[in-house]
mmCIF file with all atom_site columns, all heavy atoms in Angstrom:
data_model
loop_
_atom_site.group_PDB
_atom_site.id
_atom_site.type_symbol
_atom_site.label_atom_id
_atom_site.label_alt_id
_atom_site.label_comp_id
_atom_site.label_asym_id
_atom_site.label_entity_id
_atom_site.label_seq_id
_atom_site.pdbx_PDB_ins_code
_atom_site.Cartn_x
_atom_site.Cartn_y
_atom_site.Cartn_z
_atom_site.occupancy
_atom_site.B_iso_or_equiv
_atom_site.pdbx_formal_charge
_atom_site.auth_seq_id
_atom_site.auth_comp_id
_atom_site.auth_asym_id
_atom_site.auth_atom_id
_atom_site.pdbx_PDB_model_num
ATOM 1   N N   . ILE A 1 1  ? 41.535 68.632 -60.343 1.00 98.00 ? 1  ILE A N   1
ATOM 2   C CA  . ILE A 1 1  ? 42.245 67.666 -59.704 1.00 98.00 ? 1  ILE A CA  1
ATOM 3   C C   . ILE A 1 1  ? 41.469 67.368 -58.458 1.00 98.00 ? 1  ILE A C   1
ATOM 4   O O   . ILE A 1 1  ? 41.192 68.252 -57.629 1.00 98.00 ? 1  ILE A O   1
ATOM 5   C CB  . ILE A 1 1  ? 43.793 68.080 -59.409 1.00 98.00 ? 1  ILE A CB  1
ATOM 6   C CG1 . ILE A 1 1  ? 44.521 68.329 -60.677 1.00 98.00 ? 1  ILE A CG1 1
ATOM 7   C CG2 . ILE A 1 1  ? 44.367 67.043 -58.548 1.00 98.00 ? 1  ILE A CG2 1
ATOM 8   C CD1 . ILE A 1 1  ? 45.931 68.730 -60.578 1.00 98.00 ? 1  ILE A CD1 1
ATOM 9   N N   . PHE A 1 2  ? 41.269 66.123 -58.137 1.00 98.00 ? 2  PHE A N   1
ATOM 10  C CA  . PHE A 1 2  ? 40.521 65.738 -56.901 1.00 98.00 ? 2  PHE A CA  1
ATOM 11  C C   . PHE A 1 2  ? 41.448 64.923 -56.026 1.00 98.00 ? 2  PHE A C   1
ATOM 12  O O   . PHE A 1 2  ? 42.259 64.096 -56.388 1.00 98.00 ? 2  PHE A O   1
ATOM 13  C CB  . PHE A 1 2  ? 39.424 64.705 -57.361 1.00 98.00 ? 2  PHE A CB  1
ATOM 14  C CG  . PHE A 1 2  ? 38.282 65.419 -58.072 1.00 98.00 ? 2  PHE A CG  1
ATOM 15  C CD1 . PHE A 1 2  ? 38.186 65.160 -59.399 1.00 98.00 ? 2  PHE A CD1 1
ATOM 16  C CD2 . PHE A 1 2  ? 37.242 66.117 -57.399 1.00 98.00 ? 2  PHE A CD2 1
ATOM 17  C CE1 . PHE A 1 2  ? 37.107 65.699 -60.153 1.00 98.00 ? 2  PHE A CE1 1
ATOM 18  C CE2 . PHE A 1 2  ? 36.223 66.670 -58.099 1.00 98.00 ? 2  PHE A CE2 1
ATOM 19  C CZ  . PHE A 1 2  ? 36.100 66.502 -59.506 1.00 98.00 ? 2  PHE A CZ  1
ATOM 20  N N   . CYS A 1 3  ? 41.256 65.131 -54.691 1.00 98.00 ? 3  CYS A N   1
ATOM 21  C CA  . CYS A 1 3  ? 41.836 64.433 -53.663 1.00 98.00 ? 3  CYS A CA  1
ATOM 22  C C   . CYS A 1 3  ? 40.717 64.055 -52.684 1.00 98.00 ? 3  CYS A C   1
ATOM 23  O O   . CYS A 1 3  ? 40.313 64.941 -51.963 1.00 98.00 ? 3  CYS A O   1
ATOM 24  C CB  . CYS A 1 3  ? 43.055 65.173 -52.881 1.00 98.00 ? 3  CYS A CB  1
ATOM 25  S SG  . CYS A 1 3  ? 44.525 65.295 -53.782 1.00 98.00 ? 3  CYS A SG  1
ATOM 26  N N   . ALA A 1 4  ? 40.244 62.882 -52.771 1.00 97.00 ? 4  ALA A N   1
ATOM 27  C CA  . ALA A 1 4  ? 39.031 62.453 -51.921 1.00 97.00 ? 4  ALA A CA  1
ATOM 28  C C   . ALA A 1 4  ? 39.575 61.511 -50.864 1.00 97.00 ? 4  ALA A C   1
ATOM 29  O O   . ALA A 1 4  ? 39.797 60.292 -51.125 1.00 97.00 ? 4  ALA A O   1
ATOM 30  C CB  . ALA A 1 4  ? 38.035 61.839 -52.762 1.00 97.00 ? 4  ALA A CB  1
ATOM 31  N N   . MET A 1 5  ? 39.781 61.998 -49.588 1.00 95.00 ? 5  MET A N   1
ATOM 32  C CA  . MET A 1 5  ? 40.357 61.226 -48.574 1.00 95.00 ? 5  MET A CA  1
ATOM 33  C C   . MET A 1 5  ? 41.645 60.594 -48.838 1.00 95.00 ? 5  MET A C   1
ATOM 34  O O   . MET A 1 5  ? 41.898 59.376 -48.522 1.00 95.00 ? 5  MET A O   1
ATOM 35  C CB  . MET A 1 5  ? 39.258 60.117 -48.019 1.00 95.00 ? 5  MET A CB  1
ATOM 36  C CG  . MET A 1 5  ? 38.006 60.824 -47.474 1.00 95.00 ? 5  MET A CG  1
ATOM 37  S SD  . MET A 1 5  ? 38.494 61.669 -45.926 1.00 95.00 ? 5  MET A SD  1
ATOM 38  C CE  . MET A 1 5  ? 36.915 62.586 -45.676 1.00 95.00 ? 5  MET A CE  1
ATOM 39  N N   . SER A 1 6  ? 42.432 61.265 -49.578 1.00 96.00 ? 6  SER A N   1
ATOM 40  C CA  . SER A 1 6  ? 43.684 60.736 -49.880 1.00 96.00 ? 6  SER A CA  1
ATOM 41  C C   . SER A 1 6  ? 44.921 61.684 -49.474 1.00 96.00 ? 6  SER A C   1
ATOM 42  O O   . SER A 1 6  ? 46.025 61.318 -49.168 1.00 96.00 ? 6  SER A O   1
ATOM 43  C CB  . SER A 1 6  ? 43.913 60.512 -51.370 1.00 96.00 ? 6  SER A CB  1
ATOM 44  O OG  . SER A 1 6  ? 43.588 61.691 -52.125 1.00 96.00 ? 6  SER A OG  1
ATOM 45  N N   . LEU A 1 7  ? 44.650 62.970 -49.450 1.00 97.00 ? 7  LEU A N   1
ATOM 46  C CA  . LEU A 1 7  ? 45.676 63.963 -49.203 1.00 97.00 ? 7  LEU A CA  1
ATOM 47  C C   . LEU A 1 7  ? 46.342 63.738 -47.698 1.00 97.00 ? 7  LEU A C   1
ATOM 48  O O   . LEU A 1 7  ? 47.371 64.094 -47.538 1.00 97.00 ? 7  LEU A O   1
ATOM 49  C CB  . LEU A 1 7  ? 45.196 65.438 -49.464 1.00 97.00 ? 7  LEU A CB  1
ATOM 50  C CG  . LEU A 1 7  ? 46.300 66.422 -49.646 1.00 97.00 ? 7  LEU A CG  1
ATOM 51  C CD1 . LEU A 1 7  ? 47.118 66.134 -50.931 1.00 97.00 ? 7  LEU A CD1 1
ATOM 52  C CD2 . LEU A 1 7  ? 45.494 67.750 -49.840 1.00 97.00 ? 7  LEU A CD2 1
ATOM 53  N N   . HIS A 1 8  ? 45.482 63.405 -46.875 1.00 97.00 ? 8  HIS A N   1
ATOM 54  C CA  . HIS A 1 8  ? 45.900 63.141 -45.488 1.00 97.00 ? 8  HIS A CA  1
ATOM 55  C C   . HIS A 1 8  ? 46.828 62.050 -45.293 1.00 97.00 ? 8  HIS A C   1
ATOM 56  O O   . HIS A 1 8  ? 47.265 61.771 -44.208 1.00 97.00 ? 8  HIS A O   1
ATOM 57  C CB  . HIS A 1 8  ? 44.790 63.153 -44.503 1.00 97.00 ? 8  HIS A CB  1
ATOM 58  C CG  . HIS A 1 8  ? 43.953 62.046 -44.505 1.00 97.00 ? 8  HIS A CG  1
ATOM 59  N ND1 . HIS A 1 8  ? 42.913 61.926 -45.396 1.00 97.00 ? 8  HIS A ND1 1
ATOM 60  C CD2 . HIS A 1 8  ? 43.916 60.868 -43.758 1.00 97.00 ? 8  HIS A CD2 1
ATOM 61  C CE1 . HIS A 1 8  ? 42.256 60.634 -45.140 1.00 97.00 ? 8  HIS A CE1 1
ATOM 62  N NE2 . HIS A 1 8  ? 42.973 60.001 -44.186 1.00 97.00 ? 8  HIS A NE2 1
ATOM 63  N N   . HIS A 1 9  ? 47.013 61.233 -46.430 1.00 97.00 ? 9  HIS A N   1
ATOM 64  C CA  . HIS A 1 9  ? 47.961 60.091 -46.384 1.00 97.00 ? 9  HIS A CA  1
ATOM 65  C C   . HIS A 1 9  ? 49.408 60.523 -47.013 1.00 97.00 ? 9  HIS A C   1
ATOM 66  O O   . HIS A 1 9  ? 50.186 59.613 -47.152 1.00 97.00 ? 9  HIS A O   1
ATOM 67  C CB  . HIS A 1 9  ? 47.360 58.953 -47.196 1.00 97.00 ? 9  HIS A CB  1
ATOM 68  C CG  . HIS A 1 9  ? 46.172 58.324 -46.586 1.00 97.00 ? 9  HIS A CG  1
ATOM 69  N ND1 . HIS A 1 9  ? 46.379 57.322 -45.557 1.00 97.00 ? 9  HIS A ND1 1
ATOM 70  C CD2 . HIS A 1 9  ? 44.938 58.520 -46.752 1.00 97.00 ? 9  HIS A CD2 1
ATOM 71  C CE1 . HIS A 1 9  ? 45.168 56.841 -45.092 1.00 97.00 ? 9  HIS A CE1 1
ATOM 72  N NE2 . HIS A 1 9  ? 44.300 57.551 -45.766 1.00 97.00 ? 9  HIS A NE2 1
ATOM 73  N N   . ILE A 1 10 ? 49.455 61.782 -47.393 1.00 97.00 ? 10 ILE A N   1
ATOM 74  C CA  . ILE A 1 10 ? 50.651 62.257 -48.168 1.00 97.00 ? 10 ILE A CA  1
ATOM 75  C C   . ILE A 1 10 ? 51.548 62.957 -47.213 1.00 97.00 ? 10 ILE A C   1
ATOM 76  O O   . ILE A 1 10 ? 51.184 63.913 -46.508 1.00 97.00 ? 10 ILE A O   1
ATOM 77  C CB  . ILE A 1 10 ? 50.318 63.166 -49.280 1.00 97.00 ? 10 ILE A CB  1
ATOM 78  C CG1 . ILE A 1 10 ? 49.368 62.530 -50.280 1.00 97.00 ? 10 ILE A CG1 1
ATOM 79  C CG2 . ILE A 1 10 ? 51.560 63.666 -50.075 1.00 97.00 ? 10 ILE A CG2 1
ATOM 80  C CD1 . ILE A 1 10 ? 49.824 61.210 -50.832 1.00 97.00 ? 10 ILE A CD1 1
ATOM 81  N N   . GLU A 1 11 ? 52.794 62.397 -47.070 1.00 96.00 ? 11 GLU A N   1
ATOM 82  C CA  . GLU A 1 11 ? 53.882 63.073 -46.206 1.00 96.00 ? 11 GLU A CA  1
ATOM 83  C C   . GLU A 1 11 ? 54.443 64.231 -46.713 1.00 96.00 ? 11 GLU A C   1
ATOM 84  O O   . GLU A 1 11 ? 54.720 65.206 -46.126 1.00 96.00 ? 11 GLU A O   1
ATOM 85  C CB  . GLU A 1 11 ? 54.790 62.012 -45.692 1.00 96.00 ? 11 GLU A CB  1
ATOM 86  C CG  . GLU A 1 11 ? 55.851 62.562 -44.736 1.00 96.00 ? 11 GLU A CG  1
ATOM 87  C CD  . GLU A 1 11 ? 56.721 61.478 -44.214 1.00 96.00 ? 11 GLU A CD  1
ATOM 88  O OE1 . GLU A 1 11 ? 56.749 60.360 -44.643 1.00 96.00 ? 11 GLU A OE1 1
ATOM 89  O OE2 . GLU A 1 11 ? 57.363 61.727 -43.153 1.00 96.00 ? 11 GLU A OE2 1
ATOM 90  N N   . ASN A 1 12 ? 54.695 64.082 -48.134 1.00 96.00 ? 12 ASN A N   1
ATOM 91  C CA  . ASN A 1 12 ? 55.482 65.126 -48.836 1.00 96.00 ? 12 ASN A CA  1
ATOM 92  C C   . ASN A 1 12 ? 54.523 66.141 -49.339 1.00 96.00 ? 12 ASN A C   1
ATOM 93  O O   . ASN A 1 12 ? 54.340 66.347 -50.647 1.00 96.00 ? 12 ASN A O   1
ATOM 94  C CB  . ASN A 1 12 ? 56.202 64.430 -50.016 1.00 96.00 ? 12 ASN A CB  1
ATOM 95  C CG  . ASN A 1 12 ? 57.296 65.361 -50.532 1.00 96.00 ? 12 ASN A CG  1
ATOM 96  O OD1 . ASN A 1 12 ? 57.448 66.402 -50.097 1.00 96.00 ? 12 ASN A OD1 1
ATOM 97  N ND2 . ASN A 1 12 ? 57.784 64.944 -51.674 1.00 96.00 ? 12 ASN A ND2 1
ATOM 98  N N   . LEU A 1 13 ? 53.760 66.873 -48.479 1.00 97.00 ? 13 LEU A N   1
ATOM 99  C CA  . LEU A 1 13 ? 52.681 67.844 -48.852 1.00 97.00 ? 13 LEU A CA  1
ATOM 100 C C   . LEU A 1 13 ? 53.222 68.891 -49.732 1.00 97.00 ? 13 LEU A C   1
ATOM 101 O O   . LEU A 1 13 ? 52.551 69.442 -50.618 1.00 97.00 ? 13 LEU A O   1
ATOM 102 C CB  . LEU A 1 13 ? 51.930 68.205 -47.614 1.00 97.00 ? 13 LEU A CB  1
ATOM 103 C CG  . LEU A 1 13 ? 50.809 67.332 -47.073 1.00 97.00 ? 13 LEU A CG  1
ATOM 104 C CD1 . LEU A 1 13 ? 50.277 67.962 -45.721 1.00 97.00 ? 13 LEU A CD1 1
ATOM 105 C CD2 . LEU A 1 13 ? 49.719 67.141 -48.025 1.00 97.00 ? 13 LEU A CD2 1
ATOM 106 N N   . GLU A 1 14 ? 54.211 69.550 -49.285 1.00 97.00 ? 14 GLU A N   1
ATOM 107 C CA  . GLU A 1 14 ? 54.654 70.735 -49.950 1.00 97.00 ? 14 GLU A CA  1
ATOM 108 C C   . GLU A 1 14 ? 54.995 70.488 -51.399 1.00 97.00 ? 14 GLU A C   1
ATOM 109 O O   . GLU A 1 14 ? 54.612 71.160 -52.424 1.00 97.00 ? 14 GLU A O   1
ATOM 110 C CB  . GLU A 1 14 ? 56.027 71.309 -49.362 1.00 97.00 ? 14 GLU A CB  1
ATOM 111 C CG  . GLU A 1 14 ? 55.787 71.909 -47.986 1.00 97.00 ? 14 GLU A CG  1
ATOM 112 C CD  . GLU A 1 14 ? 55.857 70.930 -46.902 1.00 97.00 ? 14 GLU A CD  1
ATOM 113 O OE1 . GLU A 1 14 ? 55.886 69.639 -47.094 1.00 97.00 ? 14 GLU A OE1 1
ATOM 114 O OE2 . GLU A 1 14 ? 55.678 71.424 -45.690 1.00 97.00 ? 14 GLU A OE2 1
ATOM 115 N N   . GLN A 1 15 ? 55.663 69.226 -51.715 1.00 97.00 ? 15 GLN A N   1
ATOM 116 C CA  . GLN A 1 15 ? 55.894 68.857 -53.098 1.00 97.00 ? 15 GLN A CA  1
ATOM 117 C C   . GLN A 1 15 ? 54.703 68.522 -53.921 1.00 97.00 ? 15 GLN A C   1
ATOM 118 O O   . GLN A 1 15 ? 54.524 68.916 -55.002 1.00 97.00 ? 15 GLN A O   1
ATOM 119 C CB  . GLN A 1 15 ? 56.912 67.679 -53.107 1.00 97.00 ? 15 GLN A CB  1
ATOM 120 C CG  . GLN A 1 15 ? 57.303 67.178 -54.557 1.00 97.00 ? 15 GLN A CG  1
ATOM 121 C CD  . GLN A 1 15 ? 57.964 68.236 -55.345 1.00 97.00 ? 15 GLN A CD  1
ATOM 122 O OE1 . GLN A 1 15 ? 58.619 69.094 -54.797 1.00 97.00 ? 15 GLN A OE1 1
ATOM 123 N NE2 . GLN A 1 15 ? 57.873 68.104 -56.693 1.00 97.00 ? 15 GLN A NE2 1
ATOM 124 N N   . ILE A 1 16 ? 53.797 67.778 -53.401 1.00 98.00 ? 16 ILE A N   1
ATOM 125 C CA  . ILE A 1 16 ? 52.528 67.335 -54.105 1.00 98.00 ? 16 ILE A CA  1
ATOM 126 C C   . ILE A 1 16 ? 51.677 68.572 -54.363 1.00 98.00 ? 16 ILE A C   1
ATOM 127 O O   . ILE A 1 16 ? 51.123 68.623 -55.353 1.00 98.00 ? 16 ILE A O   1
ATOM 128 C CB  . ILE A 1 16 ? 51.786 66.245 -53.408 1.00 98.00 ? 16 ILE A CB  1
ATOM 129 C CG1 . ILE A 1 16 ? 50.647 65.655 -54.345 1.00 98.00 ? 16 ILE A CG1 1
ATOM 130 C CG2 . ILE A 1 16 ? 51.078 66.663 -52.138 1.00 98.00 ? 16 ILE A CG2 1
ATOM 131 C CD1 . ILE A 1 16 ? 51.206 65.196 -55.564 1.00 98.00 ? 16 ILE A CD1 1
ATOM 132 N N   . LEU A 1 17 ? 51.599 69.513 -53.355 1.00 98.00 ? 17 LEU A N   1
ATOM 133 C CA  . LEU A 1 17 ? 50.876 70.715 -53.624 1.00 98.00 ? 17 LEU A CA  1
ATOM 134 C C   . LEU A 1 17 ? 51.479 71.556 -54.735 1.00 98.00 ? 17 LEU A C   1
ATOM 135 O O   . LEU A 1 17 ? 50.890 72.257 -55.624 1.00 98.00 ? 17 LEU A O   1
ATOM 136 C CB  . LEU A 1 17 ? 50.633 71.572 -52.408 1.00 98.00 ? 17 LEU A CB  1
ATOM 137 C CG  . LEU A 1 17 ? 49.896 70.944 -51.405 1.00 98.00 ? 17 LEU A CG  1
ATOM 138 C CD1 . LEU A 1 17 ? 49.801 71.761 -50.011 1.00 98.00 ? 17 LEU A CD1 1
ATOM 139 C CD2 . LEU A 1 17 ? 48.282 70.750 -51.857 1.00 98.00 ? 17 LEU A CD2 1
ATOM 140 N N   . TYR A 1 18 ? 52.792 71.494 -54.751 1.00 98.00 ? 18 TYR A N   1
ATOM 141 C CA  . TYR A 1 18 ? 53.419 72.236 -55.964 1.00 98.00 ? 18 TYR A CA  1
ATOM 142 C C   . TYR A 1 18 ? 53.184 71.606 -57.255 1.00 98.00 ? 18 TYR A C   1
ATOM 143 O O   . TYR A 1 18 ? 52.827 72.304 -58.273 1.00 98.00 ? 18 TYR A O   1
ATOM 144 C CB  . TYR A 1 18 ? 55.019 72.178 -55.724 1.00 98.00 ? 18 TYR A CB  1
ATOM 145 C CG  . TYR A 1 18 ? 55.777 72.565 -56.884 1.00 98.00 ? 18 TYR A CG  1
ATOM 146 C CD1 . TYR A 1 18 ? 55.965 74.000 -57.209 1.00 98.00 ? 18 TYR A CD1 1
ATOM 147 C CD2 . TYR A 1 18 ? 56.237 71.630 -57.880 1.00 98.00 ? 18 TYR A CD2 1
ATOM 148 C CE1 . TYR A 1 18 ? 56.629 74.394 -58.320 1.00 98.00 ? 18 TYR A CE1 1
ATOM 149 C CE2 . TYR A 1 18 ? 56.916 72.141 -58.911 1.00 98.00 ? 18 TYR A CE2 1
ATOM 150 C CZ  . TYR A 1 18 ? 57.146 73.440 -59.194 1.00 98.00 ? 18 TYR A CZ  1
ATOM 151 O OH  . TYR A 1 18 ? 57.901 73.751 -60.297 1.00 98.00 ? 18 TYR A OH  1
ATOM 152 N N   . GLU A 1 19 ? 53.136 70.222 -57.267 1.00 98.00 ? 19 GLU A N   1
ATOM 153 C CA  . GLU A 1 19 ? 52.899 69.530 -58.535 1.00 98.00 ? 19 GLU A CA  1
ATOM 154 C C   . GLU A 1 19 ? 51.407 69.777 -58.993 1.00 98.00 ? 19 GLU A C   1
ATOM 155 O O   . GLU A 1 19 ? 51.098 69.953 -60.143 1.00 98.00 ? 19 GLU A O   1
ATOM 156 C CB  . GLU A 1 19 ? 53.068 68.049 -58.289 1.00 98.00 ? 19 GLU A CB  1
ATOM 157 C CG  . GLU A 1 19 ? 54.427 67.608 -58.269 1.00 98.00 ? 19 GLU A CG  1
ATOM 158 C CD  . GLU A 1 19 ? 55.331 67.936 -59.469 1.00 98.00 ? 19 GLU A CD  1
ATOM 159 O OE1 . GLU A 1 19 ? 54.751 67.746 -60.526 1.00 98.00 ? 19 GLU A OE1 1
ATOM 160 O OE2 . GLU A 1 19 ? 56.601 68.122 -59.374 1.00 98.00 ? 19 GLU A OE2 1
ATOM 161 N N   . ILE A 1 20 ? 50.440 69.889 -57.996 1.00 98.00 ? 20 ILE A N   1
ATOM 162 C CA  . ILE A 1 20 ? 49.119 69.978 -58.293 1.00 98.00 ? 20 ILE A CA  1
ATOM 163 C C   . ILE A 1 20 ? 48.890 71.368 -58.834 1.00 98.00 ? 20 ILE A C   1
ATOM 164 O O   . ILE A 1 20 ? 48.164 71.562 -59.848 1.00 98.00 ? 20 ILE A O   1
ATOM 165 C CB  . ILE A 1 20 ? 48.222 69.840 -57.031 1.00 98.00 ? 20 ILE A CB  1
ATOM 166 C CG1 . ILE A 1 20 ? 48.112 68.315 -56.635 1.00 98.00 ? 20 ILE A CG1 1
ATOM 167 C CG2 . ILE A 1 20 ? 46.747 70.418 -57.267 1.00 98.00 ? 20 ILE A CG2 1
ATOM 168 C CD1 . ILE A 1 20 ? 47.576 68.023 -55.269 1.00 98.00 ? 20 ILE A CD1 1
ATOM 169 N N   . LYS A 1 21 ? 49.467 72.338 -58.165 1.00 98.00 ? 21 LYS A N   1
ATOM 170 C CA  . LYS A 1 21 ? 49.180 73.804 -58.766 1.00 98.00 ? 21 LYS A CA  1
ATOM 171 C C   . LYS A 1 21 ? 49.863 73.880 -60.068 1.00 98.00 ? 21 LYS A C   1
ATOM 172 O O   . LYS A 1 21 ? 49.304 74.472 -61.092 1.00 98.00 ? 21 LYS A O   1
ATOM 173 C CB  . LYS A 1 21 ? 49.930 74.787 -57.789 1.00 98.00 ? 21 LYS A CB  1
ATOM 174 C CG  . LYS A 1 21 ? 49.668 76.267 -58.149 1.00 98.00 ? 21 LYS A CG  1
ATOM 175 C CD  . LYS A 1 21 ? 50.199 77.146 -57.032 1.00 98.00 ? 21 LYS A CD  1
ATOM 176 C CE  . LYS A 1 21 ? 49.813 78.574 -57.367 1.00 98.00 ? 21 LYS A CE  1
ATOM 177 N NZ  . LYS A 1 21 ? 50.271 79.552 -56.349 1.00 98.00 ? 21 LYS A NZ  1
ATOM 178 N N   . ASN A 1 22 ? 50.984 73.275 -60.296 1.00 98.00 ? 22 ASN A N   1
ATOM 179 C CA  . ASN A 1 22 ? 51.764 73.342 -61.646 1.00 98.00 ? 22 ASN A CA  1
ATOM 180 C C   . ASN A 1 22 ? 50.868 72.505 -62.794 1.00 98.00 ? 22 ASN A C   1
ATOM 181 O O   . ASN A 1 22 ? 50.952 73.001 -63.942 1.00 98.00 ? 22 ASN A O   1
ATOM 182 C CB  . ASN A 1 22 ? 53.092 72.697 -61.515 1.00 98.00 ? 22 ASN A CB  1
ATOM 183 C CG  . ASN A 1 22 ? 53.994 72.884 -62.690 1.00 98.00 ? 22 ASN A CG  1
ATOM 184 O OD1 . ASN A 1 22 ? 54.197 74.019 -63.144 1.00 98.00 ? 22 ASN A OD1 1
ATOM 185 N ND2 . ASN A 1 22 ? 54.505 71.831 -63.272 1.00 98.00 ? 22 ASN A ND2 1
ATOM 186 N N   . ALA A 1 23 ? 50.187 71.618 -62.364 1.00 98.00 ? 23 ALA A N   1
ATOM 187 C CA  . ALA A 1 23 ? 49.553 70.675 -63.317 1.00 98.00 ? 23 ALA A CA  1
ATOM 188 C C   . ALA A 1 23 ? 48.146 71.210 -63.728 1.00 98.00 ? 23 ALA A C   1
ATOM 189 O O   . ALA A 1 23 ? 47.548 70.688 -64.717 1.00 98.00 ? 23 ALA A O   1
ATOM 190 C CB  . ALA A 1 23 ? 49.294 69.277 -62.704 1.00 98.00 ? 23 ALA A CB  1
ATOM 191 N N   . LEU A 1 24 ? 47.694 72.113 -62.964 1.00 98.00 ? 24 LEU A N   1
ATOM 192 C CA  . LEU A 1 24 ? 46.200 72.781 -63.333 1.00 98.00 ? 24 LEU A CA  1
ATOM 193 C C   . LEU A 1 24 ? 46.298 73.733 -64.397 1.00 98.00 ? 24 LEU A C   1
ATOM 194 O O   . LEU A 1 24 ? 47.298 74.533 -64.459 1.00 98.00 ? 24 LEU A O   1
ATOM 195 C CB  . LEU A 1 24 ? 45.654 73.371 -62.077 1.00 98.00 ? 24 LEU A CB  1
ATOM 196 C CG  . LEU A 1 24 ? 45.173 72.420 -60.998 1.00 98.00 ? 24 LEU A CG  1
ATOM 197 C CD1 . LEU A 1 24 ? 44.735 73.258 -59.721 1.00 98.00 ? 24 LEU A CD1 1
ATOM 198 C CD2 . LEU A 1 24 ? 43.870 71.756 -61.403 1.00 98.00 ? 24 LEU A CD2 1
ATOM 199 N N   . LYS A 1 25 ? 45.431 73.678 -65.256 1.00 98.00 ? 25 LYS A N   1
ATOM 200 C CA  . LYS A 1 25 ? 45.220 74.750 -66.342 1.00 98.00 ? 25 LYS A CA  1
ATOM 201 C C   . LYS A 1 25 ? 44.991 76.071 -65.525 1.00 98.00 ? 25 LYS A C   1
ATOM 202 O O   . LYS A 1 25 ? 44.561 76.095 -64.382 1.00 98.00 ? 25 LYS A O   1
ATOM 203 C CB  . LYS A 1 25 ? 44.180 74.428 -67.256 1.00 98.00 ? 25 LYS A CB  1
ATOM 204 C CG  . LYS A 1 25 ? 44.520 73.171 -68.097 1.00 98.00 ? 25 LYS A CG  1
ATOM 205 C CD  . LYS A 1 25 ? 43.281 72.884 -69.123 1.00 98.00 ? 25 LYS A CD  1
ATOM 206 C CE  . LYS A 1 25 ? 43.572 71.655 -69.793 1.00 98.00 ? 25 LYS A CE  1
ATOM 207 N NZ  . LYS A 1 25 ? 42.524 71.146 -70.708 1.00 98.00 ? 25 LYS A NZ  1
ATOM 208 N N   . ASP A 1 26 ? 45.037 77.198 -66.304 1.00 96.00 ? 26 ASP A N   1
ATOM 209 C CA  . ASP A 1 26 ? 44.918 78.609 -65.671 1.00 96.00 ? 26 ASP A CA  1
ATOM 210 C C   . ASP A 1 26 ? 43.535 78.740 -64.890 1.00 96.00 ? 26 ASP A C   1
ATOM 211 O O   . ASP A 1 26 ? 43.479 79.349 -63.843 1.00 96.00 ? 26 ASP A O   1
ATOM 212 C CB  . ASP A 1 26 ? 45.065 79.680 -66.677 1.00 96.00 ? 26 ASP A CB  1
ATOM 213 C CG  . ASP A 1 26 ? 46.402 79.797 -67.186 1.00 96.00 ? 26 ASP A CG  1
ATOM 214 O OD1 . ASP A 1 26 ? 47.455 79.306 -66.482 1.00 96.00 ? 26 ASP A OD1 1
ATOM 215 O OD2 . ASP A 1 26 ? 46.598 80.267 -68.406 1.00 96.00 ? 26 ASP A OD2 1
ATOM 216 N N   . GLU A 1 27 ? 42.479 78.148 -65.364 1.00 95.00 ? 27 GLU A N   1
ATOM 217 C CA  . GLU A 1 27 ? 41.157 78.217 -64.621 1.00 95.00 ? 27 GLU A CA  1
ATOM 218 C C   . GLU A 1 27 ? 40.871 76.971 -64.001 1.00 95.00 ? 27 GLU A C   1
ATOM 219 O O   . GLU A 1 27 ? 39.542 76.556 -63.666 1.00 95.00 ? 27 GLU A O   1
ATOM 220 C CB  . GLU A 1 27 ? 40.093 78.654 -65.691 1.00 95.00 ? 27 GLU A CB  1
ATOM 221 C CG  . GLU A 1 27 ? 40.313 79.908 -66.323 1.00 95.00 ? 27 GLU A CG  1
ATOM 222 C CD  . GLU A 1 27 ? 40.397 81.087 -65.290 1.00 95.00 ? 27 GLU A CD  1
ATOM 223 O OE1 . GLU A 1 27 ? 39.491 81.063 -64.361 1.00 95.00 ? 27 GLU A OE1 1
ATOM 224 O OE2 . GLU A 1 27 ? 41.237 81.978 -65.540 1.00 95.00 ? 27 GLU A OE2 1
ATOM 225 N N   . GLY A 1 28 ? 41.788 76.066 -63.816 1.00 98.00 ? 28 GLY A N   1
ATOM 226 C CA  . GLY A 1 28 ? 41.533 74.772 -63.300 1.00 98.00 ? 28 GLY A CA  1
ATOM 227 C C   . GLY A 1 28 ? 41.243 74.728 -61.759 1.00 98.00 ? 28 GLY A C   1
ATOM 228 O O   . GLY A 1 28 ? 41.389 75.784 -60.970 1.00 98.00 ? 28 GLY A O   1
ATOM 229 N N   . LEU A 1 29 ? 40.509 73.701 -61.296 1.00 98.00 ? 29 LEU A N   1
ATOM 230 C CA  . LEU A 1 29 ? 40.063 73.587 -59.932 1.00 98.00 ? 29 LEU A CA  1
ATOM 231 C C   . LEU A 1 29 ? 40.807 72.441 -59.209 1.00 98.00 ? 29 LEU A C   1
ATOM 232 O O   . LEU A 1 29 ? 40.941 71.447 -59.675 1.00 98.00 ? 29 LEU A O   1
ATOM 233 C CB  . LEU A 1 29 ? 38.489 73.228 -59.904 1.00 98.00 ? 29 LEU A CB  1
ATOM 234 C CG  . LEU A 1 29 ? 37.572 74.404 -60.493 1.00 98.00 ? 29 LEU A CG  1
ATOM 235 C CD1 . LEU A 1 29 ? 36.132 73.733 -60.465 1.00 98.00 ? 29 LEU A CD1 1
ATOM 236 C CD2 . LEU A 1 29 ? 37.633 75.595 -59.707 1.00 98.00 ? 29 LEU A CD2 1
#
């Protein structure tokens, strides 16, 4: 999962980081 100059535009950081971690495969980056 890539965030290229986009994550600093996200207000709901806690939720999106939860979603990102949840969406990655076990060895995902």
Side-chain angles (χ1 to χ4, degrees):
I1 297 177
F2 293 101
C3 287
M5 291 298 164
S6 59
L7 200 60
H8 70 277
H9 290 276
I10 303 302
E11 184 170 12
N12 196 5
L13 277 174
E14 289 83 358
Q15 178 61 26
I16 190 56
L17 291 176
Y18 168 82
E19 290 294 331
I20 288 169
K21 187 172 183 179
N22 190 55
L24 285 170
K25 296 178 183 178
D26 290 338
E27 299 300 319
L29 296 173

